């Protein structure tokens, strides 16, 4: 039960400002989660920060719905959005958690449909409870553009009652390029249902950007 509670607060950073999805674990029916965040490019390529809002709701015991919007202060407009429905397989007393999801994502000039599979597992260590979560997806353009494939994996550990540490790896492949990002992050519990978060994103291969972000999680 403790491991599941930790996982429902973990990061799934599939974008610069899209945090805090529960991944392979469902939200409890009627439970809501809100995350707000700001991310700043630290290489000088982006003068103004990006802001993100993410919302997740347990519609049923095995269905979680979510939405996300990214706002670019340099252009003063919303640049990306996501609407997702996630169906979770029954637990059946198995340690491996499984889910399927379908996402409508944008920018507005290239809406995409993204089916995905989620796999997750909790574990215990001498340093505290932890979890591992993996998402694999395909991004299909509704405008006839190239299909993209990707995956995001995260491993997390709670070494302290109020501290969570996470390391994510984000991979996206297009016909011409492969983007890889490492995303270490931490979350500090301010009080019950409230966490302050910080993350650093470092790109490799065709994505050599570096970003720093701060956020706030609200669970109710």
């Amino acid at each position: 039960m403790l491991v599941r509670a930790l996982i429902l607060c973990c990061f799934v950073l599939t974008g610069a400002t899209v945090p805090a999805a529960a991944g392979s674990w469902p939200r409890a029916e009627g439970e809501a989660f809100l995350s707000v965040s700001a991310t700043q490019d630290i290489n000088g390529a982006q003068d103004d920060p990006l802001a993100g809002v993410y919302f997740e709701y347990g519609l049923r015991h095995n269905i979680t719905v979510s939405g996300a919007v990214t706002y670019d202060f340099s252009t003063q407009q919303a640049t990306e959005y996501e609407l997702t429905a996630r169906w979770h397989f029954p637990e059946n007393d198995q340690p491996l958690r499984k889910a399927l999801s379908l996402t409508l994502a944008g920018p507005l000039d290239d809406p995409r449909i993204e089916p995905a599979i989620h796999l997750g597992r909790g574990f215990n260590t001498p340093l505290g409870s932890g979890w591992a979560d993996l998402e694999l997806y395909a991004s299909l353009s509704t405008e006839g553009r190239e299909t993209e494939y990707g995956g995001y994996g995260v491993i997390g550990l709670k070494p302290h009652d109020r501290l969570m540490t996470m390391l994510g790896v984000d991979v996206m492949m297009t016909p011409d390029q492969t983007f890889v990002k490492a995303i270490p992050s931490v979350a500090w519990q301010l009080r019950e249902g409230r966490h302050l978060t910080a993350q650093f994103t470092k790109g490799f291969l065709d994505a050599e950007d570096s970003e720093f972000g701060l956020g706030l999680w609200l669970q109710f």
Side-chain angles (χ1 to χ4, degrees):
M1 187 68 179
L2 175 60
V3 172
R4 181 180 183 276
L6 299 181
I7 293 160
L8 290 179
C9 289
C10 76
F11 261 0
V12 177
L13 299 167
T14 54
T17 56
V18 184
S24 306
W25 288 263
R27 290 280 167 194
E29 185 172 350
E31 181 181 85
F33 179 91
L34 176 66
S35 169
V36 292
S37 61
T39 304
Q40 177 66 55
D41 177 86
I42 57 177
N43 288 338
Q46 173 189 322
D47 293 330
D48 297 310
L50 297 175
V53 177
Y54 177 88
F55 179 77
E56 195 170 70
Y57 180 73
L59 188 63
R60 296 183 59 186
H61 72 280
N62 63 341
I63 298 177
T64 301
V65 294
S66 62
V69 176
T70 300
Y71 183 85
D72 189 339
F73 282 97
S74 63
T75 61
Q76 297 187 351
Q77 61 181 357
T79 56
E80 295 183 3
Y81 66 89
E82 287 187 5
L83 296 173
T84 300
R86 193 165 62 249
W87 181 78
H88 302 267
F89 288 82
E91 291 188 33
N92 294 329
D93 295 323
Q94 299 296 317
L96 184 66
R97 301 307 308 271
K98 302 178 290 292
L100 299 175
S101 67
L102 187 65
T103 298
L104 175 64
L108 293 176
D109 61 351
D110 185 23
R112 289 180 170 268
I113 297 174
E114 299 180 347
I117 183 171
H118 306 261
L119 302 171
R121 181 166 183 166
F123 56 86
N124 291 293
T125 75
L127 298 178
S129 300
W131 68 93
D133 194 62
L134 175 66
E135 175 189 4
L136 300 173
Y137 67 89
S139 182
L140 311 173
S141 173
T142 62
E143 301 293 325
R145 303 181 188 181
E146 69 276 1
T147 298
E148 300 171 353
Y149 300 91
Y152 181 81
V154 62
I155 187 167
L157 186 67
K158 187 170 184 180
H160 184 275
D161 288 344
R162 300 177 67 181
L163 175 67
M164 286 183 282
T165 62
M166 294 146 279
L167 176 62
V169 176
D170 188 13
V171 178
M172 185 180 73
M173 296 176 290
T174 71
D176 302 318
Q177 295 176 300
T178 298
F179 301 91
V180 179
K181 296 181 179 181
I183 311 170
S185 58
V186 296
W188 180 260
Q189 182 177 337
L190 301 173
R191 58 187 177 91
E192 186 69 24
R194 303 290 185 271
H195 286 79
L196 180 65
T197 68
Q199 72 179 68
F200 176 73
T201 301
K202 175 60 180 176
F204 301 93
L205 298 180
D206 293 315
E208 297 183 355
D209 54 328
S210 297
E211 299 168 337
F212 179 74
L214 292 174
L216 182 66
W217 298 346
L218 307 174
Q219 185 171 328
F220 48 93

